[in-house]
Amino acid sequence: MSTHIAAKEGQIAEAILLPGDPLRAKFIAENFLENPECYNTVRNMFGYTGTYKGKKVSVQGTGMGQPSLSIYVNELFQFYGVQKAIRIGTCGAVHQSTQVRDIILAASACSDSCLLNQRFGNLHFAPTANFDMLFKAKQIAEALNIRHLVGSVTSSDLFYDENENWKLWAKYGVLGIEMEAAELYTLAAKFNKKALAILTVSDHIATGATTTAEERQTSFKSMMEIALETAIAE
Ligand code: HPA
């Protein structure tokens, strides 16, 4: 057991899905995995392991924001042998090329967080997805005929950003704003692991467009198909 995860050695799969919401992790385990078993209830940050098409896959809630994700991903990479981590979540679109319900495969993640400064000082690290996973996820999305975009996102520490920094990010081609991917990619680089963030666009910050509960459910299912197929791909 690690500080925040109560699993025993071998209870967590090498491939793991990382939703922010722990109840989402429970829902995914119960609806998308075969024979799910809960390995963590510490702080109600549920984690489950089951199989998908016969292959072992885990799903772990991370909480919202990079500091919370950082705790879980540090422990998963360092103590549980996780090799492939896929964040699944939502983002707010900022770029004109992006529409609500789209799926974004995040090739890279900019950030306004001081986490990068704490590690790198004046140096500027570029948090990047694992190319093999990104390529595989794109092939899967194409094969399933799911509309998707590949590009950069920004992981912000502020959900309520009064400075409207999204305008500058959009000017530089950033597709959407979320709150976790940059730290996931940074930790994957540090521990020589593979990571990818797959996001559905839940709202459009520039246009004010939002999704209905039904639309969110449909894009969620598409995102799950891409994520699970990518998780079990060789
Ligand atoms: N900002 C940050 N994270 C988000 C947003 C947003 O507007 N929408 C969904 N996740």
Side-chain angles (χ1 to χ4, degrees), residues 90-92 159 177-179 202-203 205:
T90 59
C91 70
F159 185 90
I177 312 283
E178 54 87 76
M179 301 184 75
S202 57
D203 51 286
I205 298 172

Side-chain angles (χ1 to χ4, degrees), residues 115-174:
L115 290 180
L116 286 170
N117 300 53
Q118 281 202 49
R119 288 201 181 89
F120 297 101
N122 286 331
L123 306 178
H124 297 274
F125 180 72
T128 309
N130 174 264
F131 180 75
D132 291 340
M133 284 175 81
L134 177 62
F135 188 58
K136 184 58 77 179
K138 177 152 181 65
Q139 286 179 319
I140 291 163
E142 277 169 8
L144 294 171
N145 213 8
I146 296 170
R147 185 180 143 87
H148 62 283
L149 301 166
V150 178
S152 63
V153 298
T154 288
S155 304
S156 178
D157 280 351
L158 289 172
F159 185 90
Y160 300 104
D161 178 9
E162 63 198 290
N163 292 323
E164 300 196 316
N165 285 329
W166 65 265
K167 289 181 180 164
L168 184 61
W169 294 120
K171 198 166 147 188
Y172 282 77
V174 165

